[in-house]
Amino acid sequence: QVQLVESGGGLVQPGGSLRLSCAASGITLDTANIGWFRQVPGKEPEGVSCITSSGNTYYLDSVKGRFTISRDNAKNTVYLQMTSLKPEDTAIYSCVVARNLWTHWQIYNDYNWWGQGTQVTVSS
């Protein structure tokens, strides 16, 4: 009964910004671990960022300093603020949630639920 709905994707020029949202129902996000993964055709999902139930945050090296993950407990929503976007950031971005994170945060199979994704395209 957990549902995750992403929004905020779109087409931006290199150097631009987008804010992705993940609105959850059926689970309280401040009790869970939430990640953002991205995927392009023919490639495995790539962990972009994660915020744990305790508020710790983690980032893929290539997005450090450019992306920020945050959580609004009142809205039960997690955000990914993306700045200084590059063409290589183009992908479908999905929100993923785990009750417990037993291994590394970038292990996609450790997450229990995922959304349908939102397309981010960075192109000039």
Side-chain angles (χ1 to χ4, degrees):
Q1 125 249 44
V2 173
Q3 292 185 345
L4 307 172
V5 180
E6 302 98 331
S7 62
L11 173 65
V12 296
Q13 296 184 39
S17 300
L18 285 173
R19 188 179 72 162
L20 306 183
S21 299
C22 174
S25 60
I27 189 170
T28 302
L29 290 182
D30 64 2
T31 69
N33 308 283
I34 309 98
W36 286 97
F37 279 68
R38 65 188 183 188
Q39 190 169 24
V40 298
K43 300 257 185 200
E44 302 241 329
E46 179 180 45
V48 176
S49 187
C50 177
I51 183 167
T52 70
S53 58
S54 60
N56 295 322
T57 58
Y58 304 93
Y59 297 93
L60 179 68
D61 284 346
S62 62
V63 309
K64 286 180 179 176
R66 300 190 296 121
F67 292 9
T68 303
I69 191 169
S70 62
R71 184 178 64 217
D72 187 330
N73 294 335
K75 296 181 178 179
N76 207 35
T77 298
V78 167
Y79 303 95
L80 185 68
Q81 178 67 52
M82 306 186 295
T83 63
S84 301
L85 283 163
K86 304 174 180 179
E88 52 263 45
D89 295 318
T90 296
I92 296 175
Y93 284 71
S94 298
C95 178
V96 295
V97 172
R99 285 287 190 187
N100 298 285
L101 208 54
W102 302 112
T103 59
H104 196 273
W105 67 271
Q106 290 176 307
I107 305 301
Y108 183 83
N109 288 342
D110 283 355
Y111 292 85
N112 304 109
W113 302 279
W114 59 95
Q116 292 299 304
T118 185
Q119 177 71 48
V120 172
T121 302
V122 185
S123 177
S124 59

Coordinates of all heavy atoms in Angstrom, one line a residue, residues 69-117:
I69 N 19.7 16.6 -1.1 CA 18.5 15.9 -0.8 C 18.0 16.4 0.5 O 18.8 16.8 1.4 CB 18.8 14.3 -0.7 CG1 17.5 13.5 -0.6 CG2 19.7 14.0 0.5 CD1 17.7 12.0 -0.7
S70 N 16.7 16.5 0.7 CA 16.1 17.0 1.9 C 14.7 16.3 2.1 O 14.1 15.7 1.2 CB 15.9 18.5 1.8 OG 15.1 18.9 0.8
R71 N 14.2 16.5 3.3 CA 12.9 15.8 3.6 C 12.0 16.8 4.3 O 12.5 17.6 5.3 CB 13.2 14.6 4.5 CG 12.0 13.8 4.9 CD 12.4 12.6 5.7 NE 13.0 13.0 7.0 CZ 14.0 12.4 7.6 NH1 14.6 11.4 7.0 NH2 14.5 12.9 8.7
D72 N 10.8 16.9 3.9 CA 9.8 17.7 4.6 C 8.8 16.8 5.3 O 7.9 16.2 4.7 CB 9.0 18.6 3.6 CG 8.1 19.6 4.2 OD1 7.6 19.3 5.3 OD2 7.9 20.7 3.7
N73 N 9.0 16.6 6.6 CA 8.2 15.7 7.3 C 6.7 16.0 7.3 O 5.8 15.1 7.3 CB 8.7 15.6 8.8 CG 10.1 15.0 8.9 OD1 10.5 14.3 8.0 ND2 10.8 15.3 9.9
A74 N 6.4 17.3 7.4 CA 5.0 17.7 7.4 C 4.2 17.3 6.1 O 3.1 17.0 6.1 CB 4.8 19.2 7.6
K75 N 5.0 17.3 5.0 CA 4.4 17.0 3.7 C 4.7 15.5 3.3 O 4.2 15.1 2.3 CB 4.9 17.9 2.6 CG 4.5 19.3 2.8 CD 5.0 20.2 1.7 CE 4.6 21.6 1.8 NZ 5.1 22.5 0.7
N76 N 5.4 14.8 4.2 CA 5.8 13.4 3.9 C 6.4 13.3 2.4 O 6.1 12.5 1.7 CB 4.6 12.5 4.0 CG 5.1 11.1 4.4 OD1 6.0 10.9 5.1 ND2 4.3 10.1 3.9
T77 N 7.3 14.3 2.2 CA 7.9 14.4 0.8 C 9.4 14.6 0.9 O 9.9 15.3 1.8 CB 7.3 15.6 0.1 OG1 5.9 15.4 -0.1 CG2 7.9 15.8 -1.3
V78 N 10.1 13.9 0.0 CA 11.5 14.1 -0.1 C 11.8 14.8 -1.4 O 11.2 14.6 -2.4 CB 12.2 12.7 0.0 CG1 13.7 12.8 -0.5 CG2 12.2 12.2 1.4
Y79 N 12.8 15.7 -1.4 CA 13.2 16.5 -2.5 C 14.6 16.2 -2.9 O 15.5 15.8 -2.1 CB 13.1 18.0 -2.2 CG 11.7 18.4 -1.8 CD1 11.4 18.5 -0.4 CD2 10.7 18.6 -2.7 CE1 10.1 18.8 0.0 CE2 9.4 19.0 -2.3 CZ 9.1 19.1 -0.9 OH 7.9 19.5 -0.5
L80 N 14.9 16.4 -4.2 CA 16.3 16.4 -4.7 C 16.5 17.7 -5.5 O 15.9 17.8 -6.6 CB 16.6 15.1 -5.6 CG 18.0 15.0 -6.0 CD1 18.9 14.7 -4.9 CD2 18.1 13.9 -7.1
Q81 N 17.2 18.6 -4.9 CA 17.5 19.8 -5.6 C 18.7 19.6 -6.4 O 19.8 19.3 -5.9 CB 17.7 21.0 -4.6 CG 18.1 22.3 -5.2 CD 17.0 22.9 -6.0 OE1 15.8 23.0 -5.5 NE2 17.2 23.3 -7.3
M82 N 18.6 19.8 -7.7 CA 19.7 19.6 -8.6 C 20.1 20.9 -9.3 O 19.3 21.6 -9.9 CB 19.3 18.6 -9.7 CG 18.8 17.3 -9.2 SD 18.5 16.0 -10.4 CE 17.2 16.9 -11.3
T83 N 21.4 21.3 -9.2 CA 21.9 22.5 -9.8 C 23.1 22.1 -10.6 O 23.6 21.0 -10.6 CB 22.3 23.5 -8.7 OG1 23.4 23.0 -7.9 CG2 21.1 23.9 -7.8
S84 N 23.5 23.1 -11.4 CA 24.7 22.9 -12.3 C 24.6 21.6 -13.1 O 25.5 20.8 -13.2 CB 26.0 22.9 -11.5 OG 26.1 24.2 -10.8
L85 N 23.4 21.4 -13.7 CA 23.1 20.1 -14.3 C 24.0 20.0 -15.6 O 24.3 20.9 -16.3 CB 21.7 20.0 -14.7 CG 20.8 19.7 -13.5 CD1 19.3 20.0 -13.8 CD2 20.9 18.2 -13.2
K86 N 24.4 18.7 -15.8 CA 25.2 18.4 -17.0 C 24.5 17.4 -17.9 O 23.6 16.7 -17.4 CB 26.5 17.7 -16.4 CG 27.3 18.6 -15.5 CD 28.5 17.8 -14.9 CE 29.3 18.6 -13.9 NZ 30.4 17.8 -13.4
P87 N 24.8 17.3 -19.1 CA 24.2 16.3 -20.0 C 24.2 14.9 -19.5 O 23.3 14.1 -19.7 CB 25.0 16.5 -21.3 CG 25.4 17.9 -21.3 CD 25.8 18.2 -19.9
E88 N 25.3 14.5 -18.8 CA 25.4 13.2 -18.2 C 24.5 12.9 -17.1 O 24.4 11.8 -16.6 CB 26.9 12.9 -17.8 CG 27.5 13.9 -16.9 CD 28.4 14.9 -17.7 OE1 27.9 15.4 -18.8 OE2 29.5 15.2 -17.2
D89 N 23.8 14.0 -16.6 CA 22.8 13.8 -15.6 C 21.4 13.3 -16.2 O 20.5 13.0 -15.4 CB 22.5 15.1 -14.8 CG 23.7 15.5 -14.0 OD1 24.4 14.6 -13.4 OD2 24.0 16.7 -13.9
T90 N 21.3 13.3 -17.5 CA 20.1 12.9 -18.2 C 19.8 11.5 -17.8 O 20.6 10.6 -18.0 CB 20.2 13.1 -19.7 OG1 20.4 14.5 -20.0 CG2 19.0 12.6 -20.4
A91 N 18.6 11.2 -17.3 CA 18.1 9.9 -16.9 C 16.7 10.0 -16.4 O 16.1 11.1 -16.2 CB 19.0 9.3 -15.8
I92 N 16.1 8.8 -16.2 CA 14.9 8.7 -15.4 C 15.3 8.6 -14.0 O 16.0 7.7 -13.6 CB 14.0 7.5 -15.9 CG1 13.6 7.7 -17.3 CG2 12.8 7.4 -14.9 CD1 12.8 6.5 -17.8
Y93 N 14.8 9.5 -13.2 CA 15.1 9.5 -11.7 C 13.9 9.0 -11.0 O 12.7 9.4 -11.1 CB 15.3 11.0 -11.3 CG 16.7 11.5 -11.7 CD1 16.9 11.8 -13.0 CD2 17.7 11.7 -10.7 CE1 18.2 12.3 -13.4 CE2 18.9 12.2 -11.1 CZ 19.2 12.5 -12.4 OH 20.4 12.9 -12.8
S94 N 14.2 8.0 -10.1 CA 13.2 7.3 -9.3 C 13.5 7.5 -7.8 O 14.6 7.4 -7.4 CB 13.1 5.8 -9.6 OG 12.8 5.6 -11.0
C95 N 12.4 7.6 -7.1 CA 12.5 7.6 -5.6 C 12.3 6.2 -5.1 O 11.5 5.4 -5.6 CB 11.4 8.5 -5.1 SG 11.3 8.6 -3.3
V96 N 13.2 5.8 -4.2 CA 13.2 4.4 -3.6 C 13.2 4.5 -2.1 O 13.8 5.4 -1.5 CB 14.3 3.6 -4.1 CG1 14.2 3.3 -5.6 CG2 15.7 4.2 -3.8
V97 N 12.5 3.6 -1.4 CA 12.3 3.7 0.0 C 12.6 2.3 0.6 O 12.2 1.3 0.1 CB 10.9 4.1 0.4 CG1 10.7 4.0 1.9 CG2 10.7 5.6 0.0
A98 N 13.3 2.3 1.7 CA 13.6 1.1 2.5 C 13.3 1.3 4.0 O 13.6 2.3 4.5 CB 15.1 0.7 2.4
R99 N 12.6 0.3 4.5 CA 12.4 0.3 6.0 C 13.7 0.3 6.7 O 13.9 1.0 7.7 CB 11.5 -0.9 6.4 CG 10.1 -0.8 6.0 CD 9.4 0.2 6.9 NE 7.9 0.2 6.8 CZ 7.1 1.1 7.3 NH1 7.6 2.0 8.1 NH2 5.8 1.0 7.1
N100 N 14.6 -0.6 6.3 CA 15.9 -0.7 6.8 C 17.0 -0.8 5.7 O 16.7 -1.3 4.7 CB 16.1 -2.0 7.7 CG 15.1 -2.0 8.9 OD1 15.3 -1.3 9.9 ND2 14.0 -2.8 8.8
L101 N 18.1 -0.2 6.0 CA 19.2 -0.2 5.0 C 20.3 -1.1 5.5 O 21.1 -0.6 6.4 CB 19.7 1.2 4.7 CG 20.2 1.6 3.4 CD1 19.3 1.2 2.2 CD2 20.6 3.1 3.3
W102 N 20.3 -2.3 5.1 CA 21.2 -3.3 5.7 C 22.6 -3.2 5.1 O 23.6 -3.6 5.8 CB 20.7 -4.7 5.4 CG 19.3 -4.9 6.0 CD1 18.1 -5.1 5.4 CD2 19.0 -4.9 7.4 NE1 17.1 -5.2 6.2 CE2 17.6 -5.1 7.5 CE3 19.7 -4.8 8.6 CZ2 16.9 -5.2 8.7 CZ3 19.0 -4.8 9.8 CH2 17.7 -5.0 9.9
T103 N 22.8 -2.8 3.9 CA 24.1 -2.7 3.3 C 24.3 -1.3 2.7 O 23.7 -0.3 3.3 CB 24.2 -3.7 2.1 OG1 23.2 -3.5 1.1 CG2 24.0 -5.1 2.7
H104 N 25.1 -1.1 1.7 CA 25.4 0.2 1.2 C 24.2 0.8 0.6 O 23.4 0.2 0.0 CB 26.5 0.1 0.2 CG 27.2 1.4 -0.2 ND1 26.7 2.2 -1.1 CD2 28.3 2.0 0.4 CE1 27.5 3.3 -1.2 NE2 28.5 3.2 -0.3
W105 N 24.1 2.1 0.7 CA 22.9 2.8 0.3 C 22.7 2.8 -1.2 O 21.6 3.0 -1.7 CB 22.9 4.3 0.8 CG 24.0 5.1 0.1 CD1 25.3 5.3 0.5 CD2 23.9 5.9 -1.1 NE1 26.0 6.2 -0.3 CE2 25.1 6.5 -1.3 CE3 22.8 6.2 -2.0 CZ2 25.3 7.4 -2.4 CZ3 23.0 7.0 -3.1 CH2 24.3 7.6 -3.2
Q106 N 23.7 2.5 -2.0 CA 23.6 2.4 -3.4 C 23.2 1.1 -4.0 O 23.1 0.9 -5.2 CB 24.9 2.8 -4.1 CG 25.2 4.3 -3.9 CD 26.6 4.7 -4.4 OE1 27.6 4.1 -4.1 NE2 26.6 5.7 -5.3
I107 N 22.9 0.1 -3.1 CA 22.4 -1.2 -3.5 C 20.9 -1.1 -3.8 O 20.1 -1.1 -2.8 CB 22.7 -2.3 -2.5 CG1 24.2 -2.3 -2.2 CG2 22.3 -3.6 -3.0 CD1 25.1 -2.6 -3.4
Y108 N 20.6 -1.1 -5.0 CA 19.2 -0.9 -5.4 C 18.2 -1.9 -4.8 O 17.1 -1.6 -4.4 CB 19.1 -0.8 -6.9 CG 17.7 -0.6 -7.4 CD1 17.2 0.7 -7.5 CD2 16.8 -1.6 -7.8 CE1 15.9 1.0 -8.0 CE2 15.6 -1.4 -8.3 CZ 15.1 -0.1 -8.4 OH 13.8 0.2 -8.8
N109 N 18.7 -3.2 -4.8 CA 17.8 -4.3 -4.4 C 17.5 -4.3 -2.9 O 16.7 -5.0 -2.4 CB 18.5 -5.6 -4.8 CG 18.4 -5.9 -6.2 OD1 17.6 -5.3 -7.0 ND2 19.2 -6.9 -6.7
D110 N 18.2 -3.4 -2.2 CA 18.0 -3.3 -0.7 C 16.7 -2.5 -0.4 O 16.2 -2.5 0.7 CB 19.2 -2.7 0.0 CG 20.3 -3.7 0.2 OD1 20.1 -4.9 -0.1 OD2 21.3 -3.3 0.7
Y111 N 16.2 -1.8 -1.4 CA 15.1 -0.9 -1.2 C 13.8 -1.7 -1.4 O 13.7 -2.6 -2.3 CB 15.1 0.3 -2.1 CG 16.2 1.3 -1.7 CD1 17.5 1.1 -2.2 CD2 16.0 2.3 -0.9 CE1 18.6 1.9 -1.8 CE2 17.0 3.2 -0.5 CZ 18.3 3.0 -0.9 OH 19.3 3.8 -0.6
N112 N 12.8 -1.4 -0.7 CA 11.5 -2.1 -0.7 C 10.5 -1.6 -1.7 O 9.7 -2.4 -2.2 CB 10.9 -2.2 0.7 CG 11.9 -2.7 1.7 OD1 12.4 -2.0 2.6 ND2 12.1 -4.0 1.7
W113 N 10.5 -0.3 -1.9 CA 9.5 0.3 -2.8 C 10.1 1.4 -3.7 O 11.2 1.9 -3.3 CB 8.4 1.0 -1.9 CG 7.7 0.1 -1.0 CD1 6.7 -0.8 -1.3 CD2 8.0 -0.1 0.4 NE1 6.3 -1.5 -0.1 CE2 7.1 -1.1 0.9 CE3 8.9 0.5 1.3 CZ2 7.1 -1.4 2.2 CZ3 8.9 0.1 2.6 CH2 8.0 -0.8 3.1
W114 N 9.5 1.6 -4.8 CA 10.0 2.5 -5.8 C 8.9 3.2 -6.5 O 7.8 2.7 -6.6 CB 11.0 1.9 -6.7 CG 10.4 0.8 -7.5 CD1 9.8 0.8 -8.8 CD2 10.3 -0.6 -7.1 NE1 9.4 -0.4 -9.1 CE2 9.6 -1.3 -8.2 CE3 10.7 -1.3 -6.0 CZ2 9.4 -2.7 -8.1 CZ3 10.4 -2.7 -5.9 CH2 9.7 -3.3 -7.0
G115 N 9.2 4.4 -7.0 CA 8.2 5.1 -7.8 C 8.4 4.8 -9.3 O 9.2 4.1 -9.7
Q116 N 7.5 5.4 -10.1 CA 7.5 5.2 -11.5 C 8.6 6.0 -12.2 O 9.0 5.7 -13.4 CB 6.2 5.5 -12.1 CG 5.1 4.5 -11.7 CD 5.4 3.1 -12.1 OE1 5.6 2.9 -13.3 NE2 5.5 2.2 -11.2
G117 N 9.1 7.1 -11.6 CA 10.2 7.8 -12.1 C 9.7 9.1 -12.8 O 8.6 9.2 -13.3

